[in-house]
Amino acid sequence: MNILLGVTGCIAAYKAAEVCRGLQKAGHQVRVTMTQSATEFVGEATFAGLTGEAPATSVFNWGASPIPHVELGRWADLMLVCPCTANTLAKLAWGLADDCLTSCALALTGTLAVAPAMNVHMWQNPATQHNLQVLEERGVCIVGPDAGYLACGEVGQGKLAPVDDIVQETLAILNAQEEQKAQEGAADPGGEAPLPAAPAQLGGQATPPSLTGAHVLITAGPTHEPIDPVRYISNRSSGKMGYALARSAQTAGAQVTLVSGPVSLPVPVGVECIQVETAQQMYEAAMKLANSGDIDVAICAAAVADYTPVAPADHKLKKSEEHLDTISLKETHDILAELAACQEVPVVIGFAAETNDLVPHATKKLESKGCDLIVANDVSRQDSTFGSSTDAVTLVWPDHICELPLMTKDDVAASIIEVAADLLAENNPL
């Protein structure tokens, strides 16, 4: 497939060359567009040598094409902006097109993905977070950033995601596109209008059911179980699925309350968010809402820690003085099971992240928890693991199973919300 790599003016711009090679090794054709600032960090000759074609740096001087931004925007199946500065992120969010890269993005007919990289304070600035939210709601795939030591000398969120992660995320997005095209081609060999997207196909309805008037509770992200004030037990959950569910439920007309563990994601517009850190805090927040009698649907997408330290230290443990051989643990509350047992909540949906025997494990979890639906996800797959932008999930009901194709997390979320609306209509008509 055709990938347009957009490179902006950031110290991490040199890593874009490695991303380019990774995508080429996977068998895809890559062309490059650069901002003028990017050329101050990486020479045009670098990408010309890698791709066999000079990068487009202006709408006036790219080969023989009189309109390079339109040609490249039409050519690309996917455009990846890597690294993406705060400035370019803002331009993309608001549709500005004052250079070749942003003009290409505006003329793009394919998918847009960005890999942000910037100073931690620029990343945390409300303006940047709002711009990020605008892009996510528009369906733009966001890869990273990571937290760590930054080029400016500060430590925090804003570091470009690892090259391998960016390449794998991009390939997963492309794979999802290819599978969607293959399905449309198989379903419509005569070349007629393509079938509806997966969420509409799921219930066989042209318009998915509405959640207007419903109150949806969603748990998202990991929990951090403290060992001492600086160390904790956690997992790899990014919170992307839970936040996608919150956006989709809000779009479907629901009042949404999101109980979120520690993540680096902007809260969707119009969604109430309760920030928590530990499994106990998430349990207390979720059960308080459930027992209020005001929740119609509860979706447990959070990866809650199963165990927490019995006696976390109130000070940083010194390896030289307080050698830690063992950590005594105790089980945390089973939030999914307790919500399913709560008579006040008509519909409860859980998730099962598995690495083997996906359906048997999910079926067992459905029976043991007593919920209405389990969304099973094979996290051993690179395109469906923690932090990925795509998922291939299997929906498991008590009486049947539905395997969904590889889709973006937003499309998966839309499918789940449609099912939730159907279940609510069956169990407790509004």
Side-chain angles (χ1 to χ4, degrees):
M1 299 180 80
N2 299 330
I3 302 171
L4 178 60
L5 178 62
V7 186
T8 68
C10 172
I11 190 64
Y14 72 94
K15 293 185 179 180
E18 299 177 56
V19 171
C20 178
R21 289 296 294 140
L23 296 172
Q24 289 174 324
K25 287 178 181 178
H28 301 290
Q29 185 174 355
V30 182
R31 288 177 174 175
V32 177
T33 178
M34 304 174 69
T35 64
Q36 285 299 318
S37 295
T39 63
E40 297 291 327
F41 292 93
V42 182
E44 298 175 47
T46 299
F47 292 105
L50 289 173
T51 65
E53 192 170 29
T57 57
S58 169
V59 295
F60 301 109
N61 66 354
W62 187 68
S65 174
I67 45 173
H69 57 295
V70 175
E71 180 177 328
L72 289 170
R74 207 161 36 206
W75 170 84
D77 295 298
L78 179 143
M79 180 177 182
L80 169 65
V81 183
C82 171
C84 184
T85 61
N87 181 51
T88 299
L89 195 73
K91 291 180 182 180
L92 295 174
W94 297 103
L96 300 182
D98 62 353
D99 57 25
C100 190
L101 187 152
T102 51
S103 295
C104 287
L106 207 57
L108 183 68
T109 57
T111 303
L112 178 62
V114 299
M118 64 195 73
N119 169 267
V120 59
H121 302 299
M122 297 175 76
W123 172 254
Q124 293 173 345
N125 190 288
T128 298
Q129 290 301 306
H130 179 67
N131 292 335
L132 186 73
Q133 185 171 328
V134 169
L135 291 173
E136 285 189 320
E137 291 176 351
R138 203 178 291 157
V140 176
C141 301
I142 314 293
V143 185
D146 276 8
Y149 182 79
L150 306 177
C152 59
E154 296 189 85
V155 177
Q157 200 84 10
K159 182 179 180 181
L160 184 71
V163 169
D164 287 346
D165 289 0
I166 296 171
V167 171
Q168 290 304 318
E169 286 281 317
T170 305
L171 296 179
I173 296 166
L174 289 172
N175 289 339
Q177 287 182 228
E178 288 182 310
E179 288 194 15
Q180 183 67 30
K181 287 180 180 178
Q183 287 180 345
E184 290 175 355
D188 183 33
E192 298 178 0
L195 293 174
Q201 290 175 344
L202 189 63
Q205 299 163 317
T207 302
S210 169
L211 280 174
T212 301
H215 190 174
V216 178
L217 162 65
I218 299 170
T219 66
T223 62
H224 289 178
E225 308 305 316
I227 298 171
D228 63 21
V230 298
R231 302 179 180 91
Y232 57 82
I233 299 170
S234 189
N235 55 63
R236 298 179 182 275
S237 175
S238 66
K240 287 183 178 179
M241 189 71 255
Y243 277 61
L245 284 164
R247 288 193 297 272
S248 187
Q250 200 271 339
T251 300
Q255 175 188 348
V256 182
T257 300
L258 181 65
V259 180
S260 176
V263 298
S264 299
L265 298 171
V267 177
V269 174
V271 171
E272 177 191 4
C273 185
I274 301 173
Q275 303 282 355
V276 299
E277 182 174 356
T278 66
Q280 179 65 25
Q281 291 168 352
M282 183 170 285
Y283 166 77
E284 291 173 358
M287 295 311 298
K288 181 179 180 180
L289 287 163
N291 290 325
S292 71
D294 189 41
I295 299 298
D296 300 290
V297 178
I299 305 177
C300 295
V304 185
D306 295 316
Y307 297 91
T308 188
V310 172
D314 61 1
H315 62 282
K316 180 182 177 182
L317 298 173
K318 295 293 185 181
K319 184 168 61 176
S320 59
E321 301 170 8
E322 301 166 285
H323 192 65
L324 196 63
D325 293 316
T326 60
I327 302 176
S328 296
L329 302 174
K330 62 181 179 180
E331 288 190 11
T332 59
H333 287 281
D334 191 330
I335 299 175
L336 175 60
E338 295 204 33
L339 284 173
C342 182
Q343 298 298 316
E344 302 289 343
V345 184
V347 176
V348 179
I349 297 173
F351 276 68
E354 306 292 347
T355 57
N356 64 293
D357 298 329
L358 185 67
V359 173
H361 284 317
T363 302
K364 184 178 180 180
K365 186 169 186 177
L366 181 73
E367 294 171 352
S368 65
K369 306 299 183 184
C371 54
D372 299 281
L373 174 75
I374 288 290
V375 182
N377 180 20
D378 184 354
V379 294
S380 67
R381 295 176 48 151
Q382 283 294 326
D383 55 10
S384 193
T385 191
F386 290 120
S388 66
S389 297
T390 55
D391 265 336
V393 303
T394 299
L395 307 183
V396 181
W397 289 265
D399 55 354
H400 65 289
I401 293 169
C402 176
E403 183 178 343
L404 298 184
L406 183 69
M407 297 187 290
T408 66
K409 276 186 163 65
D410 283 324
D411 285 341
V412 173
S415 296
I416 295 169
I417 292 302
E418 180 183 341
V419 172
D422 283 336
L423 288 170
L424 184 60
E426 294 171 7
N427 295 355
N428 188 36
L430 293 174

